[in-house]
Structures are given as structure tokens and as C-alpha cells.
Amino acid sequence: MKIKSFLYIGLALLATNSMFAQANILNAQIPEEIGMKTEAELLLDNDKPLEYGYVGDRDILFSKMTWEKVVLDERVNFPLYFPVEGNLGDDRKSLYQVLTENMQSGMIPKVYADSYFTEERTLKDLEASLSMRRITDAGIRYMNENNVGEDEIPEEYIIERNIEPADINSYLIKGLWYFDKRQGELKYRILGIAPAAPDVNFIDEEDNENSEPIPMFWIFYPEVRDILHEAKSFNNSNSAVPISFDHLLNSRRFSGIIYKEENVYGDREVKEYVAENALMQLLESERIKDKIRDFEQDMWSY
């Protein structure tokens, strides 16, 4: 009986690896065959994001909305940032590249201007924050001297700059911590995510290194879970088992700093009432975390 149980476990592990590993990589005769699945594999492929369970409003005993900044300079957050350049294939893309490509293809139909999801934005609305086109001073002189319009200026007098994956230095994540009284535990649910980068108009200036990153756009997270489940992040421990971005984010495999919580002061940010003191801002962020965690601990203290 023990041998049979070991065999079943081994087969289950092989089946799990086959779902996550790059398809057909060992059987491909030409590069185009890598990633192709047989009809039988496609029929058996039932890989979907884990569905959220229904949570009734009466089941929420306590909740607190928080906004976190996920800084991509931290090593634990590297899977959200890399790769930033080069074409490593469809299964090796940064989170920003996954989001922008699906926006351009129409798979992500809605993006928003803020984290409250009240004002929708189109790709045309985002052009000013994602790209920049500027005429140099020499180009303006050329226009005046030759009496020509902007369309007739030589290319050497024009500076163009786009926000690239390497320019994204953080992500802003909005989520809800809540205590489910039916299951008796504290849980977390992501509601929104936004890539943040310096202002594209000043991104290459020397004094812009310490500037505050600006959110490019906000996405309602439950709406893009299927897309983020199909996109895989790199697993440094085992490349045969990549982790989907949806799994990575929902399991909180990232390091974030709370920069805002919902409050009576119009959801003011920490830096608004703890000004010009980075250490005290960090301690305030930790205080907010402890306040949320202590609620669950206090539920079981007598």
C-alpha cells in the first residue's frame, strides 16, 4: 500500500510540473514548436486562478483599507520588475509589460485615473503620462529661421521618450484587510494595482533621481486575474515551476510599505501628517500594520 501511495504522489507531482513547465521544450524539433501543446493536453488543461470565495457583508467583523508601495529595488520584489529589456519569449515578461500589452490589445478594457475607480482613462488619455515628445532649443531656432512647422523639423531636433519597463520603480497596491467571522481569521484581498514611475517629462534629468514616483494608471485587480494567471513570473529556485503573477500577488510574496490607510481625514497619506522624516514615516507604517494584526490576535485573547 505504501508503494502505491508513493506512486500516486509521484504521478501527481509530475502532472503538476507539466502544467507549469514550458510546454514541449524537450520534444521540440524546431524553436517554433516550443510552447505548443497537443490537443489532449489542451483538453486536460484546466488551469484557472483560484476563485475567491463569496464573503457576505454580515460576515465581515472588521475591515481596514490600506494602500502600499512595493519598491522594486528590494530583492524580494525582483520578480515583478525583471526582465526589463530583451526578448526572452512570451513566458518571460515583466509585470508592466504584461499590463501594457494587454491594454493595447484590448484584453484590459478599463483603466482608471485613481485608486477609487471613479474616472476611466483610455490609451489616448494616457499618452501624456507614458510618452514625451519635445523640440530642442536648436529645433525652435531652426523653425524660426526657416519658417517651417513642427512636422518639417529634422529628427535630430526632436527628443522622444517613452516609459519603459526599466523605468518602473514601484507598484502601488490597494487592498482590504478584513476579519471573516465565519472562518475566524484575518484575510487580505487586493482591489487595485498601479505601476509608478517618475514624470516622463523630467525622467532623464539629474535632479530627478529622488523624485516621487507617479502612478501611471490604476487597474481594478479582480478584473485582470485571468490575464495575470496566464502570465508567469520567474522562479529563481526552480525554473520548471514558474509562479503566476496572480499567485505571487494574492499570496503576498512581496514587500510593501503602507503609505495610506482609510481615515476620517479624507484618507490622507502618512507623509501628510508625518512630514520630512522618513524614519518616523516607516514607524507609522509599521504601527498601522500592527494595529491590523493585533485585532486578530485580540480576538483569541481572554
Side-chain angles (χ1 to χ4, degrees):
M1 294 299 293
K2 290 185 177 180
I3 296 175
K4 286 185 178 180
S5 63
F6 282 126
L7 287 174
Y8 290 144
I9 293 171
L11 290 172
L13 290 173
L14 288 173
T16 304
N17 284 337
S18 66
M19 288 191 296
F20 289 106
Q22 192 172 15
N24 207 38
I25 190 169
L26 298 179
N27 301 314
Q29 301 299 318
I30 56 176
E32 287 75 11
E33 292 181 356
I34 297 177
M36 295 177 62
K37 295 184 178 181
T38 64
E39 293 184 3
E41 287 175 329
L42 292 173
L43 289 174
L44 293 173
D45 191 1
N46 191 26
D47 189 21
K48 296 180 180 179
L50 184 64
E51 294 185 6
Y52 291 146
Y54 176 77
V55 181
D57 292 337
R58 295 182 178 181
D59 297 333
I60 300 176
L61 186 64
F62 162 84
S63 69
K64 174 66 70 172
M65 193 78 71
T66 61
W67 286 258
E68 293 178 88
K69 178 189 289 186
V70 179
V71 180
L72 299 182
D73 285 343
E74 298 185 35
R75 185 175 295 275
V76 69
N77 298 328
F78 281 178
L80 298 172
Y81 180 67
F82 291 103
V84 295
E85 58 185 15
N87 185 8
L88 303 180
D90 292 336
D91 59 334
R92 293 288 303 278
K93 296 179 180 178
S94 66
L95 178 56
Y96 178 73
Q97 190 176 359
V98 171
L99 295 176
T100 52
E101 287 183 358
N102 282 277
M103 287 167 54
Q104 293 167 359
S105 66
M107 295 297 293
I108 299 179
K110 297 178 182 179
V111 295
Y112 300 88
D114 55 33
S115 61
Y116 297 97
F117 313 111
T118 55
E119 182 183 348
E120 290 188 26
R121 290 286 181 88
T122 63
L123 284 175
K124 189 170 184 61
D125 297 332
L126 296 175
E127 287 181 359
S129 59
L130 298 180
S131 61
M132 175 268 293
R133 186 176 186 273
R134 187 174 71 239
I135 301 173
T136 63
D137 295 337
I140 295 174
R141 288 195 298 270
Y142 179 89
M143 290 173 57
N144 295 332
E145 292 172 359
N146 297 276
N147 195 23
V148 297
E150 293 185 9
D151 298 335
E152 302 175 73
I153 301 176
E155 291 294 329
E156 61 264 24
Y157 297 130
I158 297 174
I159 299 175
E160 292 185 347
R161 183 70 158 85
N162 297 320
I163 294 293
E164 303 293 343
D167 299 320
I168 304 300
N169 55 21
S170 61
Y171 282 94
L172 307 182
I173 295 179
K174 176 185 179 181
L176 181 71
W177 289 96
Y178 66 96
F179 187 87
D180 189 335
K181 68 179 183 181
R182 284 186 177 272
Q183 299 190 21
E185 62 179 325
L186 187 69
K187 296 184 177 182
Y188 179 75
R189 183 76 60 85
I190 296 178
L191 298 178
I193 186 170
D199 190 335
V200 68
N201 296 294
F202 311 102
I203 193 170
D204 294 322
E205 296 184 3
E206 294 182 359
D207 58 349
N208 193 50
E209 294 181 357
N210 299 321
S211 63
E212 187 71 18
I214 302 171
M216 304 289 99
F217 49 82
W218 279 91
I219 294 177
F220 187 60
Y221 185 81
E223 192 173 17
V224 299
R225 287 195 66 208
D226 289 332
I227 294 171
L228 296 183
H229 180 74
E230 294 296 328
K232 308 298 182 182
S233 65
F234 185 74
N235 184 351
N236 200 40
S237 300
N238 185 358
S239 59
V241 189
I243 304 168
S244 71
F245 283 113
D246 178 65
H247 183 191
L248 186 148
L249 291 169
N250 272 308
S251 58
R252 290 191 60 84
R253 298 176 67 164
F254 59 85
S255 174
I257 300 172
I258 294 177
Y259 70 92
K260 183 168 72 167
E261 65 168 335
E262 58 178 353
N263 51 60
V264 70
Y265 304 102
D267 296 349
R268 66 179 181 179
E269 297 186 17
V270 170
K271 66 180 181 181
E272 294 180 20
Y273 62 93
V274 183
E276 299 181 357
N277 192 325
L279 176 59
M280 295 305 297
Q281 290 173 6
L282 183 60
L283 292 175
E284 174 64 10
S285 174
E286 291 299 319
R287 186 194 67 82
I288 296 172
K289 285 182 182 180
D290 291 340
K291 180 176 63 175
I292 295 170
R293 292 169 180 167
D294 288 347
F295 181 88
E296 181 184 30
Q297 188 69 25
D298 292 343
M299 290 295 296
W300 306 112
S301 298
Y302 297 94

